[in-house]
Amino acid sequence: MVKKKNRWKTLSTAGLLSALILAGCGNSEETTKEASGESGEKSYQVGITQIAEHPSLDAASVGFQQALKDEGLEVEFDTQVAQGDQNNNQSIANNFVSDQVDLIFANSTPSALGALNATKDIPIVFTSVTDAVGGGLVDSMEAPGGNITGTLDNHPDAIPNTVEFIDKYFDIDTIGVVYNSGEANSVSQIETVKEVIEGTGLKLAEATVSTSAEVKQATESLVGKADVLYIITDNTVVTALESVVQVATDKKIPLFVGELDSVARGGFAAYGFDYNDIGYEAGVMAAEILKGEKEAGEMDVQYPQNLKLVINKEAAEAMGVELNPEWEESAEFIE
């Protein structure tokens, strides 16, 4: 079932007539204040659609809302989570269009696609999207077109740096990956991994899932085939990351992940960035759109600004990874 939080009430016919009568009687100041909010500033309605609940996406939503607050806008948010269900996902977007929100914040590729299917008029700002062009969201990074723009959760150096790190410091043959083949951003990342490992001598062992309930069994299927595991920023798999961590720990297989929240949840290492940051950057873009300063389709899609290597010392020990002194120069460590 779709989560429904705040729903906006529309004025009844009688209420509208009353407002017009009052305005005609010299009460325009009170009417304006009611439409604009207590502060007298214009109040905006923003719908937040999120495909699932997990720390990275949650952090992006928090960052987005904080940016609009910092920009001084008075905003009423309606946050709805699809719980991984595509039917819910589309219904959420359709409801926002019916509610005539001022802007839709789409947190994930499926969320953005659902919003774009629902409206070509209401501005859409996305984040947590890996390949906006390949996913069919925008025409190009520099000129998105239409009513949509946003920030990516895919730094162009993240996957190459991860593969290079594995190849340099681990004497292995095969990298194991688990992903949802129905997620466009996941397929794009896996294709990038395949391209990057060409010429390294490394091989890829793949296991695909369609739901989070399948993640543990899929991970177990890679035991004996993969020397390390690499979980990209796949919403389905990351939602069930603890089951991957359990297998990696039990079988002493180093687990690389695609974002920093997954390191904190038990992954060994990641080249990543803070999802709060990309949500915040998307919020700044949304503020410019709401203020009428820019059109969504004219704003460049943005990459994450800060990429860093983070290593979980406790996870390293649990997975049998001996820390290399050279990593002290390039990595941040968490216990």
Side-chain angles (χ1 to χ4, degrees):
M1 183 177 293
V2 177
K3 288 189 177 181
K4 295 186 178 179
K5 297 187 178 178
N6 300 325
R7 310 296 299 168
W8 298 297
K9 297 179 180 179
T10 58
L11 287 173
S12 65
T13 303
L16 181 57
L17 288 173
S18 297
L20 291 172
I21 291 170
L22 287 171
C25 295
N27 291 320
S28 59
E29 181 179 349
E30 182 178 344
T31 305
T32 301
K33 180 177 286 188
E34 181 179 344
S36 301
E38 290 298 324
S39 67
E41 297 293 330
K42 181 176 180 180
S43 179
Y44 300 93
Q45 297 170 344
V46 172
I48 297 178
T49 172
Q50 183 172 312
I51 190 61
E53 290 179 301
H54 65 67
S56 296
L57 296 183
D58 295 344
S61 285
V62 170
F64 175 81
Q65 293 176 70
Q66 185 61 49
L68 288 174
K69 180 180 179 181
D70 291 348
E71 290 290 326
L73 299 184
E74 185 173 324
V75 180
E76 182 179 2
F77 297 100
D78 183 1
T79 301
Q80 299 193 29
V81 182
Q83 303 297 355
D85 187 294
Q86 293 298 337
N87 291 327
N88 287 350
N89 181 54
Q90 192 60 59
S91 294
I92 289 169
N94 293 341
N95 288 339
F96 286 157
V97 175
S98 297
D99 290 335
Q100 297 182 339
V101 298
D102 296 300
L103 183 141
I104 296 174
F105 174 54
N107 194 1
S108 76
T109 299
S111 303
L113 287 170
L116 197 57
N117 286 336
T119 180
K120 297 295 187 283
D121 300 313
I122 296 173
I124 301 166
V125 177
F126 59 75
T127 198
S128 309
V129 167
T130 300
D131 185 357
V133 177
L137 293 173
V138 301
D139 295 334
S140 71
M141 293 284 289
E142 297 77 17
N147 59 322
I148 190 167
T149 189
T151 60
L152 301 186
D153 67 355
N154 178 30
H155 194 288
D157 295 331
I159 290 176
N161 285 2
T162 301
V163 172
E164 181 182 357
F165 186 88
I166 293 171
D167 190 39
K168 180 176 180 179
Y169 292 108
F170 290 79
D171 185 17
I172 67 160
D173 295 317
T174 306
I175 299 173
V177 294
V178 183
Y179 66 100
N180 184 344
S181 57
E183 283 196 30
N185 68 328
S186 300
V187 173
S188 173
Q189 289 180 82
I190 295 300
E191 289 302 315
T192 300
V193 174
K194 290 178 179 178
E195 292 172 5
V196 173
I197 66 173
E198 289 182 6
T200 65
L202 296 171
K203 297 178 293 185
L204 204 64
E206 302 177 44
T208 61
V209 299
S210 56
T211 69
S212 295
E214 301 170 359
V215 170
K216 184 175 181 181
Q217 184 176 0
T219 306
E220 290 173 336
S221 74
L222 294 174
V223 175
K225 300 176 183 177
D227 305 300
V228 303
L229 297 172
Y230 182 20
I231 301 303
I232 55 173
T233 57
D234 180 290
N235 293 308
T236 304
V237 180
V238 172
T239 300
L241 185 69
E242 283 71 21
S243 61
V244 182
V245 172
Q246 181 182 341
V247 174
T249 300
D250 291 346
K251 301 301 181 180
K252 304 297 182 186
I253 304 174
L255 171 60
F256 288 83
V257 288
E259 32 77 37
L260 302 186
D261 288 313
S262 291
V263 179
R265 291 169 65 190
F268 158 60
Y271 278 94
F273 45 85
D274 194 328
Y275 269 69
N276 185 280
D277 290 345
I278 60 172
Y280 192 95
E281 292 160 10
V284 172
M285 298 171 79
E288 292 180 299
I289 294 168
L290 291 172
K291 291 176 181 178
E293 297 173 355
K294 293 183 179 179
E295 297 287 334
E298 299 173 354
M299 303 175 72
D300 292 1
V301 176
Q302 300 293 321
Y303 287 108
Q305 300 301 306
N306 302 307
L307 185 69
K308 58 185 177 181
L309 172 63
V310 176
I311 293 174
N312 185 327
K313 287 186 175 181
E314 184 177 345
E317 182 178 359
M319 296 169 191
V321 179
E322 183 177 348
L323 297 178
N324 190 313
E326 293 182 11
W327 300 346
E328 297 282 351
E329 300 178 2
S330 58
E332 292 182 14
F333 292 88
I334 62 174
E335 299 293 339

